[in-house]
Amino acid sequence: MKEEEKIFAGKFFCPGHPDLKAIKLRCHNLCSAYNATLEDETEKRNAIVHQIFGDFGEGSFVQGPIQIHYGTHTHIGKSFFGNFNLTIQDDAPVTIGDRCNFGPNVTIVTPMHPIIAEERRVLKTKDGREIRVCYAKPVTIGNDCWFGANVVVCPGVTIGDNCVIGAGSVVTKDIPSNSVAVGNPCRVQRTITEADSMKYHPERFGEDEFVFDK
């Protein structure tokens, strides 16, 4: 198996392998180029960001600065908004649905390291080679999710559709659809219901009148 194929299969891989280092270097350099652009250099930014990600849906935007590890392993849907300092360590695949909104300093991580220190330093193969290895677990985020500032999503987590993840949360386990979840570790507080509609808060309307479907 190629080293990148090992990642997708959930096997040990060597992060220092030349093939992987080449992918990461390309992505890191593209991120540096993106971060050096001005916000109104729209065409230039758009060209760079489409080189970084495996998929970057129509109407999506990342404020920058961004720090993405592989880039091609991340797939982002339509109308995504990522605020300042988006970090995605996408050794394993990261999938983000449509119409998601991420606050500042959101971090998504997929790599895992051995727990025992000696094994984290190096593992020995039967033929006598010593290799520094890790493995990775994919992260999947559904449609229409809103993450507050400083949310961290840990390896292997799946977050369903329509979820709100409170600021500062560290998501270590799956979150079902239509949930408000907060905390470290992040826990579901309640299910989102019709009672959460803004139609029950006319004090927010100001001079505008709003029409609600339900």
Side-chain angles (χ1 to χ4, degrees), residues 106-166:
V106 166
T107 298
I108 298 171
V109 291
T110 65
M112 303 281 292
H113 299 273
I115 300 299
I116 295 175
E118 290 81 359
E119 296 176 359
R120 193 160 56 247
R121 288 198 296 268
V122 69
L123 286 180
K124 295 182 179 180
T125 65
K126 285 186 176 181
D127 60 4
R129 291 176 297 133
E130 293 186 346
I131 308 174
R132 181 174 175 266
V133 299
C134 55
Y135 59 104
K137 297 180 178 181
V139 167
T140 302
I141 297 163
N143 299 319
D144 296 293
C145 290
W146 170 29
F147 291 4
N150 299 299
V151 166
V152 177
V153 182
C154 293
V157 164
T158 294
I159 297 173
D161 296 337
N162 310 315
C163 287
V164 176
I165 308 298

Side-chain angles (χ1 to χ4, degrees), residues 58-75:
E58 182 181 359
S60 292
F61 176 79
V62 284
Q63 184 75 51
I66 57 174
Q67 302 295 335
I68 316 298
H69 206 33
Y70 284 77
T72 54
H73 298 174
T74 293
H75 305 274

Side-chain angles (χ1 to χ4, degrees), residues 34 42 45-50 53 55-64 74-83 86 96-102 143:
Y34 189 86
T42 306
R45 281 184 148 218
N46 190 56
I48 295 171
V49 82
H50 278 89
F53 294 108
D55 291 292
F56 194 69
E58 182 181 359
S60 292
F61 176 79
V62 284
Q63 184 75 51
T74 293
H75 305 274
I76 296 175
K78 298 179 295 184
S79 302
F80 168 82
F81 174 75
N83 214 315
L86 174 65
I96 301 170
D98 297 335
R99 300 173 301 276
C100 289
N101 289 276
F102 289 1
N143 299 319

Side-chain angles (χ1 to χ4, degrees), residues 149-153 165-171 181-187:
N150 299 299
V151 166
V152 177
V153 182
I165 308 298
S169 295
V170 178
V171 189
V182 300
N184 180 6
C186 187
R187 293 186 175 91

